[in-house]
Each structure stands twice: as C-alpha cells, then as structure tokens.
Amino acid sequence: MKSTSLKSEAMDKLNTISFLFSMATKNFPNIKSVRALCQQGSRSDQGADCHDVDDDHWLNCGIAPIATPMSSHPQYCRTRKSWGINALGTLVVEVEADDGTVGVGVTIGGEPGCYIVEKHLSKFVEGQDPRNVELMWDQMFKGTINYGRKGLPIQAISAVDLALWDLLGKLRNEPVYSLLGGKTKERLPVYSTTARPDIAQKLGFVGAKIPCCYGPSAGDDGLQKNVEYFKSWREKVGPDFPLSLDCYMALTVPYATKLARCLEPYGIKWIEEYLMPDCYDGYCQVRENLRASSILLATGEHEYTRYGFQKLLESRCVDIIQPDITWLGGMTEARRVVAMASATDTLVIPHGSSVFSYHLQYAFNNCPLAEYINLSHKADQIVPYFGGLFPDEPLPKDGFIDLPDRPGFGVTLKKDNLTRPYARAIEDSRKNALANLQKLNPVKATFPF
C-alpha cells in the first residue's frame, strides 16, 4: 500500500510539472547579431532606392519633365539624378537570432546608414529578446536624438525595426499582418504611380498618379503646361478613372492653390506633397484656400516619426497621409501613426515600400489603398519595386495585391550584390549582447513620475 501511495504521489508531481511546462510561454531565442549591407559598384538594379534608375528612365525625366525642389536651379532641373536624388542607395539590415533565424529590413541609406547601424544601433539590439520591439525602438530613437530626429538616422532605425518584425514573424511562423492584429480586408486594391496612366488603366490598377512637370520658376507658361498635361491624360483615360498629381515638394502656397483650382474641372482625385515637408503652416493655408474644393489633399512621404505626423493630423490640413514604412521609423512607429490617423478620420495610403506597407495596410481599416510605383523603364510593365533584391516579391494583379501565407514579410533576400562595409568581429556583438543580458532590475519601487 505504501509503495502504491508513493507511486501515486510521484505521478501527481510529474503531472503537475508537465502541466506547468504546458502552461509556460514559448522560449524565444535572443538576438545574436545585427549586420548592415549595401550595394556596391554599378547600381543598375535600384534595390531599395526607387530613384536609382537608368539615365533615361521615366523617373529621371525620361518621358516628361518632373518638378522637384531643385527645379529653380537651371543646372539641376532637367533630370532628378543630376542633383543626387540617388546619392545614398540601398541599405539592408539583417538581424540574426541565436537559433540562426534571420530577419531582413531595407531602406535607403547606403554606406553612411551601414555605419550608423553597425557602430551605434547594434548596441541596443544584440542580446535583446526580439519581442521587445518597443524597448529597442525607444532606445534607438533616444540614443540617436542628438544627431537624428529625422532623415538618415530614422531611416537606419526603420531598417533595423523592419528586420525585427520580419524575424518575429519567422520565429512565430506567422505573417507580419497577423502579428499586427490580423487582416481587416480580404484583398487590397492598388493604384499606380506612373508616367503612363493609360497603361496603368489597362493593367487593371484602380487609379493612377502622374508627376507634376513644372514648378513656380517656370512661370505662367509652366503652369499652363501642367494643366494641359493633366488634361491630356484625363482625355486618354476617360472621366471615371481616378487620376492624381504628385508635386514632390516643388510648389508654393499660391502656386499650389492656383494649380489645384485649374485642375479641378478635370476631375483630379488628390494633389500630393505640393510643399516642403516642414511647411506646416503652408499646408494649413492651402487647406483654407481650397476649403470649398472637392480635391483631396495629401502629403507625408518625407515626414518622420509620430511627432511630425502629429502636426499634420492635429491641424487637419490634409485628407491623406502617406508615410513610407521604410523611412518614417519602421513598423513600430508606423502602427502608432496609423492609430493616430484613425482618431481624426484621416486616410493612410503609404508611399511605395511594397511588402512592408502591404502588411500594415492589411492590418488596419484606415489604410484602404496601396501604392505601386511602376519602376519599369517606360512605365509599361509590372516589375518588382525592390528590383532584384527580393526575387519573390509579390506583385499587383488585376488591381489587387494579394499576400502569400508566409512568415514574416514573406520575401527572400538575394545577397549577390551586397557587401558589409563595416563588419564587426563576433566578439563585438557578444559584448553588446552581454550588456543587454545583464539588465539592471530596480530594487526599490518608486513613483515613476
């Protein structure tokens, strides 16, 4: 009897231990290393930099002029690459976990961005639990604040952050949109940014956006040419095909107002990024000037972090914000911006960024439409946004983008033309990891503010 009782007691303990193990959460590997890569030599494949194209590509004014902030300088008005729009090139970040799983994120930033990632941002990532995306983002942002806030440092943070989300999806064997809360729509419609809206219409896109050809420095003659250019495309695609205008920071408040009023009879859907990004008061003034207009106002492609978007949203100066997910701070910051936008009923239609924006848009209701920038030479074919960087990048078809059921962002990095200019020794990564693993836990509880 005693032996039977001991066996029964042992079985109870085993069952209790088994139950406790079954209740425990999944054991996640920590982050082992961070690597920053860029393209070397001739960059005929644009990678993450959509402007790094051939000289006669439509995005470099190969089909029609394109107005830019540099249009007022004669030596730089004929092409966009003449003033170095593609100066930095691609930045790719790999984040590898202890078990060998690798997440990938991209942005523009090239070799300077690689330096920031390897020499600084890795400090806040190596050794961390990959689930702690909020902690790492906060440390990277605050750690770079003395030289950051916008531009290149935030782009570098974006690439690291996207790599973390890709890694998380792979470790959990789920698409990123599932990590964000799951799908809010079964299919995502797509419009095309292009020099050939007639071809975009034939390819099934639900609308098109064309570049503004001339800025204020071209005078009244340039204004009239802009109107005629838009009018000619409206006649080609018909009255019911949504057609918008991308002004790429090239205009002024009076010019944008006048141009919008001239284009309204031709059914323009929205006018986009008509002022410099920091001209917040100017955006408010254009809103007031066009208060009775049916034209939607859009901007945000070159805005960074929630702090910049807060100004746009609180002032209600635009109807659509257009963050680039590979630039504004990655997925961690993008989801905050989307949530902020929902509180003001502002639509979010991200700039480019392909799979990185698609996953965000599937997960949030106020992201109803995706942008596909047509990067074929003559804007006449559907080609990958990231060139050959991701050979399995999903492409739009019949007006929709459908994401495959794959973990992470669902794409595979092709590293043939990538190098690591600031490679660090394994010991450097171990030192960072050790510092993050030896967390300083508070001993005494204090009121935190």
Side-chain angles (χ1 to χ4, degrees):
M1 288 289 292
K2 187 174 182 180
S3 175
T4 303
S5 178
L6 288 172
K7 286 181 179 179
S8 177
E9 186 178 336
M11 286 299 297
D12 287 342
K13 287 182 178 180
L14 284 172
N15 288 335
T16 300
I17 292 170
S18 297
F19 174 74
L20 290 173
F21 270 113
S22 69
M23 294 294 288
T25 58
K26 180 180 178 181
N27 185 28
F28 265 69
N30 288 325
I31 296 167
K32 175 183 175 182
S33 64
V34 175
R35 299 183 291 272
L37 314 169
C38 63
Q39 291 175 323
Q40 294 295 311
S42 176
R43 298 199 302 258
S44 58
D45 185 344
Q46 83 280 345
D49 187 354
C50 63
H51 297 109
D52 196 17
V53 293
D54 292 333
D55 290 346
D56 58 348
H57 194 284
W58 78 264
L59 263 180
N60 196 43
C61 309
I63 291 181
I66 298 177
T68 76
M70 298 292 280
S71 294
S72 59
H73 301 285
Q75 66 268 43
Y76 297 127
C77 66
R78 296 188 65 183
T79 69
R80 303 171 95 189
K81 286 169 60 178
S82 66
W83 50 268
I85 194 172
N86 63 328
L88 293 179
T90 294
L91 167 62
V92 176
V93 171
E94 292 185 312
V95 175
E96 182 177 355
D98 288 332
D99 67 351
T101 307
V102 177
V104 177
V106 305
T107 186
I108 57 173
E111 193 169 317
C114 288
Y115 186 94
I116 293 173
V117 172
E118 296 270 8
K119 302 295 186 179
H120 197 182
L121 300 183
S122 61
K123 177 185 185 71
F124 308 110
V125 178
E126 289 167 338
Q128 295 275 21
D129 184 324
R131 293 170 291 186
N132 295 340
V133 291
E134 291 283 348
L135 172 68
M136 287 181 277
W137 199 96
D138 192 61
Q139 290 178 344
M140 289 190 291
F141 180 66
K142 290 177 178 175
T144 58
I145 199 70
N146 64 313
Y147 66 91
R149 294 179 62 243
K150 297 190 178 187
L152 181 59
I154 300 299
Q155 290 167 334
I157 290 172
S158 301
V160 175
D161 183 77
L162 291 170
L164 290 169
W165 280 92
D166 190 45
L167 175 63
L168 269 179
K170 290 172 180 176
L171 290 172
R172 286 177 162 156
N173 198 34
E174 289 186 294
V176 169
Y177 64 74
S178 292
L179 305 183
L180 293 169
K183 285 185 175 183
T184 61
K185 52 187 74 71
E186 287 306 312
R187 305 189 80 186
L188 179 63
V190 192
Y191 82 94
S192 178
T193 293
T194 177
R196 293 294 305 273
D198 55 334
I199 295 177
Q201 186 179 39
K202 291 175 182 176
L203 291 172
F205 289 97
V206 298
K209 183 177 69 190
I210 57 176
C212 180
C213 296
Y214 300 95
S217 61
D220 290 340
D221 183 55
L223 179 70
Q224 189 57 40
K225 287 180 180 178
N226 283 333
V227 175
E228 290 300 321
Y229 184 72
F230 192 91
K231 178 185 176 184
S232 67
W233 282 118
R234 169 54 70 205
E235 291 170 350
K236 288 182 177 70
V237 299
D240 299 324
F241 186 66
L243 196 59
S244 302
L245 188 72
D246 184 357
C247 302
Y248 200 75
M249 306 174 286
L251 310 184
T252 62
V253 171
Y255 193 96
T257 302
K258 187 174 183 179
L259 178 61
R261 286 173 175 160
C262 289
L263 294 179
E264 188 165 16
Y266 305 108
I268 181 172
K269 191 71 173 178
W270 75 69
I271 184 171
E272 174 178 320
E273 205 180 26
Y274 32 91
L275 305 176
M276 295 288 278
D278 292 322
C279 192
Y280 301 112
D281 290 344
Y283 278 105
C284 291
Q285 186 60 56
V286 172
R287 162 62 79 201
E288 285 304 310
N289 294 347
L290 299 176
R291 183 63 71 182
S293 172
S294 63
I295 301 173
L296 298 172
L297 303 179
T299 196
E301 172 184 337
H302 292 95
E303 191 57 85
Y304 295 87
T305 78
R306 60 192 181 275
Y307 300 108
F309 283 98
Q310 182 182 22
K311 290 180 175 290
L312 296 172
L313 293 169
E314 286 184 346
S315 67
R316 305 285 182 103
C317 63
V318 292
D319 305 289
I320 303 164
I321 58 170
Q322 301 167 303
D324 188 301
I325 312 308
T326 68
W327 299 349
L328 93 155
M331 191 61 72
T332 301
E333 191 73 343
R335 61 179 181 172
R336 298 186 187 119
V337 170
V338 172
M340 290 166 60
S342 69
T344 59
D345 284 333
T346 304
L347 298 177
V348 182
I349 305 176
H351 168 260
S353 49
S354 185
V355 292
F356 301 108
S357 65
Y358 299 156
H359 278 262
L360 175 83
Q361 292 176 276
Y362 263 102
F364 289 92
N365 267 320
N366 57 324
C367 302
L369 179 66
E371 177 183 28
Y372 168 77
I373 301 176
N374 191 313
L375 284 167
S376 65
H377 200 90
K378 299 296 183 183
D380 56 357
Q381 303 175 55
I382 295 177
V383 299
Y385 178 78
F386 290 118
L389 206 57
F390 300 118
D392 50 359
E393 179 183 339
L395 299 176
K397 184 180 179 182
D398 300 328
F400 291 101
I401 184 71
D402 297 300
L403 294 178
D405 187 18
R406 297 177 187 167
F409 288 108
V411 289
T412 308
L413 177 65
K414 184 180 179 183
K415 298 171 66 173
D416 294 8
N417 193 34
L418 298 176
T419 60
R420 188 183 180 189
Y422 298 103
R424 294 170 294 126
I426 295 174
E427 187 57 31
D428 293 330
S429 292
R430 285 176 179 164
K431 287 179 181 177
N432 285 339
L434 185 62
N436 283 317
L437 288 168
Q438 294 177 337
K439 291 180 171 61
L440 299 176
N441 293 319
V443 176
K444 181 181 178 181
T446 59
F447 201 80
F449 60 89

